[in-house]
Amino acid sequence: MKSSPPSTNVIVSVAVPSPLRRAFDYLVPQDINFVPVIGARVVVPFGRQTLIGIILDLKNSSTLAIEKLKPITQILDQQPLFSTSLLELLHWASNYYQYPIGMLFDAALPGWLRKQQSLEIPATTIPKTIITANSFELNNAQQTAIAAVQSSFGTFKTFLLDGVTGSGKTEVYMQLIAAALQQQKQVLMLIPEINLTPQTLQRFEERFKTPIAVLHSQISEKKRAMAWLQAKAGVAPIILGTRLAAFTPLLNPGLFIIDEEHDLSFKQQDHFRYSARDLLLKRAQLEHCPVVLGTATPSLETWQNVNAQKYQHLILPERAGKAVKPEIEIIDVRHKQLQAGISNNLLAQIKQHLDNKGQVLLFLNRRGYAPVLMCFNCGWHQSCKRCDSNMIFHYNSKILRCHHCEAKTYIPDVCPECKDPGLNTVGLGTQQIEASLKMHFPNANIARVDRDSINNKKQLQEMLDKVHDQTTNILIGTQMLAKGHHFPNLSLVAIVDIDSALFSADFRATERVGQLITQVAGRAGRGTKLGKVVLQTTHPDNPLLTTLIHKGYHEFLRLLLEERKFTNLPPFSYQVLFRAETKQPSKANQFLQFIKELLIQHQPKVSCLGPIAAPMEKRQGFYRAQLLLQAAQRKTLQELLAIITPKIEEQKVAKSVRWNIDVDPLDMY
Ligand code: ADP
Ligand code: ZN
Ligand code: ZN
């Protein structure tokens, strides 16, 4: 940390919460309350406002004339809140995600600290940790994994801990945490959704008698700020949280863990669109820590890094002993009468499982929701002539569109292959299924569970209680239900509509459905009844599907990677998505067209797809369009964005359009 220079004019460069992409210089008055340090909060005048900012730099000159500089009002912290490596991470993130540095502190600093002027520093004595011993012998795979990670303590190295549910990953995490704690180091662990997986915290509390700082968006601002400060002071040896916890300062960082690394919730989908996983990897590099990425279903990005030997692959083979794998059955729904998307075969199986006092879970993969026009007689679906993709039905304009080029076509009256008039869109709602099942099973208790119906701990607990005491017979839900829960009486799981994932406009939909099937099937075992997984499809011979079922997730990944390589999609290329929306119909499109011209002028090597209308073109009164940039190298895009973004912002029109930049977008549709 630099000390203040021995100059008469002390100038500080401050990040203030403003959309302008730069820091602002201020004078430090002689009689200021504390000595300014980099990483401390200051109160500054900004236009007519008074704002809290962070000191990014100390200097003795400015590009502005000294008389023009305003003085800072107050220094809030005697000690920096952010270490140099954490500030370096924030600079990196600001550049990488094209997000103004001052605004980025909205994510990096708990709200309470962005407002509260004085700090209550929590007790600073570092407690003695008591670790409860585990009651069993670790198996060989666990021992190997632990030894590998432990031997790289103090250095940056990434590990993929690859093991199905119940293979002992959490036990490996806990052993590694114990080892780090013994060296007086802190461990930061990210999990997808803390409310949905309260059992992780519970197990940690049983194992470690030590403060655990818990950070997520559902705890009060003050509590979160306290946890943050405890982590910073080194008083909390373990830090557990959702993606926002990735910015928590640590006194002695020793190890980072990301559980369920493939999970989409690690990517923020609005404002500061960062990936907490990627950011934590960067942080680990800066802070010389090993990182463990744990999952039963690695993402393709991670898998490619394993193939390239950038990550070390640690495998926990499937659970030993009594675990029985469920039978996976594909129901071919071609030529079949469906009721709210459910075949008679599946209805019969639901009845049988209910009669045997089993519970039934029906999944509807709503994320991949993007209706494809399909013939239910022969399985024909409209694909684009110029691209390796399906055309998507647009409700507003009643046409089919390709999302990779600009091709459009009208909807045929009959199937072009078999002349059957039974053309239908694939894309169902959970409510429709619920209504239909109520009719078929009037005595069953049916619960619909999705992010609209469950969003806090209490609702979740009520839902889980009803499942556990068997009040609920049929559960209908989204992928959310696949996370971490053990339903001991679940005997049948059906994925109602695999096709919407196999033929989605979203090229990542197949990866996700593969993860879902694997996660669901992995639930079976000791104490669980799960006997059957049923998949409904009009493409029973789809090679990805059959590979997944007969050869497993790793082989499925291999095939999927080949496909991505062939189509030149991530992880074999890198993407940036520009989104724009306006009240006037074509203005968003024009704005993106302007950006496209700028981009091509500066870098002919990138490919620009679009601008095209967003799949749901009109939303909340706004017309939405998008422009996708793709290049073989990350660097090409990064260099281009650094030049282009300020040029876009200079434009007057940029202020009248709602637009954003999404680097490494995960959800484009
Ligand atoms: P995962 O995190 O991969 O789902 P866990 O670590 O939760 O797996 O382990 C699943 C269950 O098996 C837990 O009850 C855990 O205590 C137990 N377990 C883990 N490792 C072993 C082992 N080596 N021997 C016996 N039981 C184990
Ligand atoms: Zn047909
Ligand atoms: Zn096309």
Side-chain angles (χ1 to χ4, degrees):
M1 193 109 333
K2 283 186 226 165
S3 60
S4 56
S7 145
T8 42
N9 291 320
V10 181
I11 293 164
V12 285
S13 162
V14 178
V16 287
S18 129
L20 297 170
R21 285 167 201 276
R22 59 186 184 89
F24 294 84
D25 286 353
Y26 287 90
L27 269 182
V28 181
Q30 295 282 348
D31 59 349
I32 196 76
N33 57 333
F34 299 138
V35 177
V37 287
I38 293 177
R41 294 171 307 154
V42 285
V43 180
V44 295
F46 191 76
R48 287 187 198 160
Q49 299 166 280
T50 301
L51 298 177
I52 294 183
I54 308 282
I55 301 180
L56 294 181
D57 205 3
L58 303 172
K59 42 197 198 175
N60 31 45
S61 67
S62 170
T63 47
L64 284 175
I66 293 293
E67 314 80 72
K68 292 233 166 128
L69 297 181
K70 288 185 188 159
I72 54 175
T73 316
Q74 199 191 340
I75 296 177
L76 293 175
D77 310 306
Q78 279 182 277
Q79 299 295 323
L81 282 190
F82 292 94
S83 65
T84 36
S85 57
L86 213 45
L87 284 176
E88 196 178 336
L89 180 74
L90 295 178
H91 278 293
W92 174 85
S94 172
N95 291 328
Y96 188 79
Y97 293 108
Q98 291 293 306
Y99 202 69
I101 183 108
M103 305 281 280
L104 200 139
F105 286 97
D106 276 359
L109 194 61
W112 196 76
L113 295 172
R114 275 183 274 127
K115 284 178 249 160
Q116 206 70 20
Q117 307 218 340
S118 68
L119 273 190
E120 273 173 59
I121 308 273
T124 47
T125 46
I126 296 174
K128 193 159 161 39
T129 301
I130 301 163
I131 301 168
T132 315
N134 51 304
S135 53
F136 44 77
E137 294 262 320
L138 297 170
N139 61 40
N140 283 340
Q142 285 172 317
Q143 285 176 17
T144 307
I146 292 161
V149 180
Q150 225 179 312
S151 71
S152 52
F153 275 9
T155 51
F156 168 60
K157 186 162 182 190
T158 310
F159 298 88
L160 167 63
L161 183 62
D162 183 359
V164 296
T165 313
S167 60
K169 292 188 297 296
T170 309
E171 186 56 40
V172 169
Y173 301 151
M174 292 195 292
Q175 296 287 336
L176 289 169
I177 293 171
L181 263 46
Q182 262 142 21
Q183 299 182 15
Q184 320 303 326
K185 297 209 156 132
Q186 289 170 290
V187 181
L188 170 60
M189 175 156 158
L190 300 187
I191 58 179
E193 267 147 302
I194 215 156
N195 277 334
L196 301 179
T197 50
Q199 67 272 29
T200 308
L201 177 60
Q202 200 186 323
R203 282 176 73 183
F204 280 25
E205 282 171 345
E206 282 163 15
R207 180 69 60 94
F208 303 103
K209 297 280 171 279
T210 199
I212 300 177
V214 177
L215 289 107
H216 56 89
S217 59
Q218 308 243 333
I219 52 174
S220 77
E221 274 197 354
K222 174 147 188 198
K223 259 190 156 164
R224 196 174 129 200
M226 286 304 135
W228 198 87
L229 290 169
Q230 281 187 320
K232 181 183 177 300
V235 185
I238 302 171
I239 296 87
L240 185 66
T242 53
R243 65 168 180 258
L244 58 83
F247 300 97
T248 314
L250 305 173
L251 185 67
N252 295 309
L255 171 68
F256 297 145
I257 299 168
I258 304 174
D259 193 29
E260 309 291 355
E261 68 82 23
H262 64 281
D263 198 277
L264 280 181
S265 73
F266 289 125
K267 173 91 198 238
Q268 180 151 308
Q269 304 284 8
D270 56 8
H271 306 292
F272 173 30
R273 295 172 164 77
Y274 67 102
S275 154
R277 178 193 64 198
D278 298 352
L279 188 117
L280 205 58
L281 284 165
K282 180 69 193 176
R283 178 171 176 180
Q285 204 180 337
L286 295 169
E287 297 191 318
H288 314 290
C289 285
V291 189
V292 178
L293 306 175
T295 178
T297 52
S299 63
L300 275 192
E301 278 76 9
T302 293
W303 195 245
Q304 180 55 17
N305 280 321
V306 168
N307 286 343
Q309 300 187 337
K310 287 187 192 152
Y311 298 175
Q312 188 177 334
H313 194 190
L314 305 169
I315 305 175
L316 300 185
E318 305 200 9
R319 284 165 296 181
K322 300 179 193 74
V324 194
K325 273 192 163 183
E327 181 196 340
I328 301 182
E329 183 192 350
I330 295 180
I331 298 182
D332 178 358
V333 295
R334 278 176 303 180
H335 316 288
K336 302 279 157 51
Q337 195 75 44
L338 301 181
Q339 302 178 48
I342 299 175
S343 61
N344 289 333
N345 181 342
L346 179 53
L347 276 176
Q349 296 200 36
I350 295 174
K351 182 171 187 307
Q352 184 209 327
H353 281 261
L354 291 178
D355 288 347
N356 292 333
K357 304 272 176 283
Q359 281 170 323
V360 175
L361 169 58
L362 297 174
F363 271 113
L364 196 65
N365 198 34
R366 279 208 318 187
R367 273 213 152 278
Y369 174 89
V372 172
L373 193 71
M374 188 175 264
C375 171
F376 277 28
N377 185 43
C378 74
W380 169 89
H381 50 94
Q382 180 82 59
S383 49
C384 179
K385 291 186 179 64
R386 286 192 283 161
C387 312
D388 216 356
S389 94
N390 295 288
M391 301 195 74
I392 304 305
F393 178 60
H394 284 246
Y395 285 110
N396 297 331
S397 47
K398 301 271 182 273
I399 53 168
L400 296 165
R401 265 196 193 155
C402 170
H403 287 184
H404 299 278
C405 66
E406 277 116 291
K408 320 177 193 187
T409 176
Y410 287 101
I411 294 162
D413 294 329
V414 295
C415 172
E417 289 291 321
C418 74
K419 310 295 175 213
D420 191 278
L423 293 179
N424 243 313
T425 52
V426 180
L428 260 182
T430 40
Q431 291 171 4
Q432 199 183 333
I433 294 186
E434 185 185 13
S436 172
L437 288 179
K438 273 195 175 135
M439 230 172 58
H440 285 284
F441 306 105
N443 299 324
N445 250 309
I446 303 178
R448 185 167 56 82
V449 179
D450 45 38
R451 222 168 287 271
D452 309 324
S453 61
I454 303 262
N455 44 37
N456 63 44
K457 222 175 177 163
K458 192 164 155 269
Q459 289 172 340
L460 176 79
Q461 200 50 54
E462 281 169 13
M463 185 275 286
L464 291 177
D465 288 348
K466 282 191 186 154
V467 175
H468 284 291
D469 70 15
Q470 300 203 52
T471 312
T472 301
N473 310 110
I474 302 177
L475 268 165
I476 305 169
T478 56
Q479 190 134 4
M480 186 178 121
L481 276 174
K483 280 180 193 166
H485 300 298
H486 293 273
F487 299 133
N489 281 302
L490 194 63
S491 64
L492 172 68
V493 174
I495 302 181
V496 176
D497 176 21
I498 288 278
D499 292 354
S500 69
L502 294 179
F503 303 106
S504 168
D506 182 349
F507 68 86
R508 285 194 174 85
T510 27
E511 177 183 351
R512 286 177 197 148
V513 82
Q515 289 166 346
L516 175 65
I517 297 169
T518 310
Q519 297 273 354
V520 165
R523 293 264 166 260
R526 268 171 291 178
T528 74
K529 249 182 166 173
L530 183 54
K532 191 100 178 245
V533 176
V534 166
L535 313 172
Q536 292 198 133
T537 178
T538 57
H539 287 69
D541 303 323
N542 180 286
L544 282 166
L545 196 56
T546 51
T547 301
L548 179 67
I549 289 164
H550 301 298
K551 298 187 180 153
Y553 189 74
H554 288 167
E555 198 54 29
F556 168 78
L557 279 183
R558 201 184 58 74
L559 206 62
L560 212 50
L561 264 186
E562 263 176 27
E563 204 180 278
R564 296 269 187 97
K565 190 167 190 175
F566 185 71
T567 49
N568 196 28
L569 285 167
F572 297 96
S573 62
Y574 298 90
Q575 297 182 329
V576 171
L577 189 69
F578 284 86
R579 295 191 189 84
E581 50 182 65
T582 50
K583 293 242 164 154
Q584 299 100 303
S586 52
K587 202 172 152 195
N589 214 74
Q590 282 164 15
F591 178 66
L592 293 178
Q593 188 61 40
F594 156 77
I595 294 180
K596 180 178 183 170
E597 278 152 27
L598 264 185
L599 290 166
I600 292 172
Q601 238 173 53
H602 282 85
Q603 177 52 279
K605 260 198 295 190
V606 298
S607 68
C608 272
L609 304 165
I612 57 161
M616 194 196 293
E617 186 173 0
K618 197 174 175 192
R619 195 171 73 184
Q620 295 168 340
F622 280 83
Y623 291 89
R624 306 149 72 233
Q626 56 194 44
L627 173 69
L628 185 68
L629 272 193
Q630 190 172 300
Q633 305 288 332
R634 258 202 176 101
K635 207 166 145 245
T636 315
L637 293 176
Q638 285 296 313
E639 287 171 356
L640 184 56
L641 289 179
I643 301 169
I644 294 300
T645 314
K647 286 199 195 297
I648 301 169
E649 281 173 342
E650 272 169 23
Q651 303 295 317
K652 220 167 145 194
V653 55
K655 292 191 179 60
S656 62
V657 175
R658 298 212 301 214
W659 63 284
N660 63 66
I661 302 175
D662 192 348
V663 177
D664 304 328
L666 282 185
D667 208 346
M668 294 191 273
Y669 303 94

